[in-house]
């Protein structure tokens, strides 16, 4: 279902009513990163509504995803970085002209964060994703990140990893912000980036 009438959508879901805490087996299903626990996971497979699409499959705290442009679901998704035997279904489509994709999560009780997602684009979609972080939602930084700009390939999904373990200010916080901005093709009238199987992992304190 397309939601082309919305210029700005922000979905905020409280963990006390919507989130499902992972079982120990799920926590250790982390793609082989020994010592990391799965804090948040979005499969983007529930296309019944926009709120369902961006609701976390697994969450250890409060979170919010927002995009200040048009977003919706797209088929097909990817099995890259899928957790708990989740099949490839749909993905989150972030349409041009691109806005800012903002991820806000609680990291209370965790340190050494790692974010991963599978991404592709259409031919007219933005060719770069630019990652930065903040503790207040206003001042964003890239210090401590070995990689904060990735090239997005068309057609095929590629898995990318962003290691925040060298950024201690993000550890054990009531809320942090991770921003994804777009470049090179992001102002095109058509085209999009497609994100799937977004995860945030950490090490318990």
């Amino acid at each position: 279902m397309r939601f082309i009438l919305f210029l700005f959508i922000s979905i905020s879901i409280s963990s006390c009513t919507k989130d499902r805490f992972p079982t120990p087996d799920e926590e250790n299903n982390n793609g082989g990163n020994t010592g990391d626990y799965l804090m948040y996971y979005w499969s983007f497979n529930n296309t019944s509504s926009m709120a369902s699409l961006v609701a976390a499959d697994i969450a250890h705290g409060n979170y919010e995803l927002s995009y200040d442009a048009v977003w919706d679901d797209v088929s097909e998704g990817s099995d890259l970085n899928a957790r708990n035997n989740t099949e490839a279904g749909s993905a989150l489509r972030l349409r041009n002209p691109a806005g800012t994709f903002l991820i806000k999560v609680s990291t209370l009780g965790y340190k050494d964060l790692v974010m991963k997602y599978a991404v592709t684009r259409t031919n007219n979609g933005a060719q770069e994703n630019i990652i930065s972080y903040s503790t207040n939602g206003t001042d964003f930084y890239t210090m401590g990140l070995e990689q904060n700009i990735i090239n997005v390939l068309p057609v095929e999904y590629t898995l990318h990893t962003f290691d925040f373990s060298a950024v201690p200010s993000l550890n054990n916080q009531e809320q942090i912000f991770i921003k994804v901005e777009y470049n090179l093709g992001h102002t095109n009238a058509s085209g999009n980036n497609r994100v799937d199987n977004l995860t945030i992992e950490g090490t318990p304190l």
Side-chain angles (χ1 to χ4, degrees):
M1 179 181 296
R2 298 176 58 184
F3 294 81
I4 60 175
L5 297 179
F6 290 93
L7 179 62
F8 177 84
I9 305 172
S10 178
I11 306 296
S12 179
I13 305 172
S14 170
S15 65
C16 64
T17 58
K18 295 288 187 180
D19 300 341
R20 182 174 65 82
F21 288 84
T23 66
D25 285 342
E26 290 174 329
E27 286 183 329
N28 287 299
N29 186 8
N30 58 19
N33 292 316
T34 303
D36 290 341
Y37 283 75
L38 185 59
M39 300 165 58
Y40 298 91
Y41 172 45
W42 290 268
S43 71
F44 304 117
N45 280 353
N46 189 341
T47 62
S48 59
S49 68
M50 195 65 208
S52 297
L53 180 67
V54 298
D57 299 65
I58 293 171
H60 267 293
N62 293 329
Y63 64 89
E64 180 180 350
L65 302 182
S66 63
Y67 183 60
D68 56 352
V70 177
W71 61 353
D72 56 10
D73 64 276
V74 63
S75 296
E76 56 189 36
S78 172
D79 59 3
L80 292 175
N81 202 41
R83 305 303 172 91
N84 307 320
N85 300 314
T86 301
E87 296 183 359
S90 62
L92 182 64
R93 175 166 50 190
L94 305 168
R95 292 177 175 271
N96 279 347
T100 296
F101 181 39
L102 192 64
I103 303 158
K104 181 170 71 173
V105 296
S106 169
T107 65
L108 288 175
Y110 289 87
K111 65 177 183 177
D112 298 339
L113 307 180
V114 175
M115 181 177 77
K116 299 179 182 180
Y117 59 78
V119 62
T120 188
R121 64 176 175 88
T122 59
N123 288 332
N124 287 333
Q127 299 173 40
E128 290 183 345
N129 287 187
I130 304 170
I131 308 298
S132 58
Y133 60 85
S134 174
T135 57
N136 60 18
T138 300
D139 304 306
F140 284 84
Y141 304 96
T142 62
M143 293 175 295
L145 298 180
E146 291 186 4
Q147 175 178 246
N148 79 297
I149 300 177
I150 60 169
N151 294 318
V152 180
L153 302 177
V155 183
E156 297 292 335
Y157 283 91
T158 303
L159 179 62
H160 292 278
T161 299
F162 305 92
D163 187 347
F164 296 90
S165 60
V167 188
S169 62
L170 300 181
N171 298 339
N172 198 34
Q173 296 295 316
E174 185 174 349
Q175 63 180 19
I176 67 161
F177 303 81
I178 300 174
K179 181 167 64 174
V180 185
E181 297 176 288
Y182 302 91
N183 192 31
L184 301 180
H186 60 296
T187 61
N188 291 335
S190 63
N192 57 78
N193 268 217
R194 302 174 178 192
V195 174
D196 206 4
N197 297 323
L198 171 62
T199 60
I200 298 176
E201 298 163 344
T203 301
L205 293 170

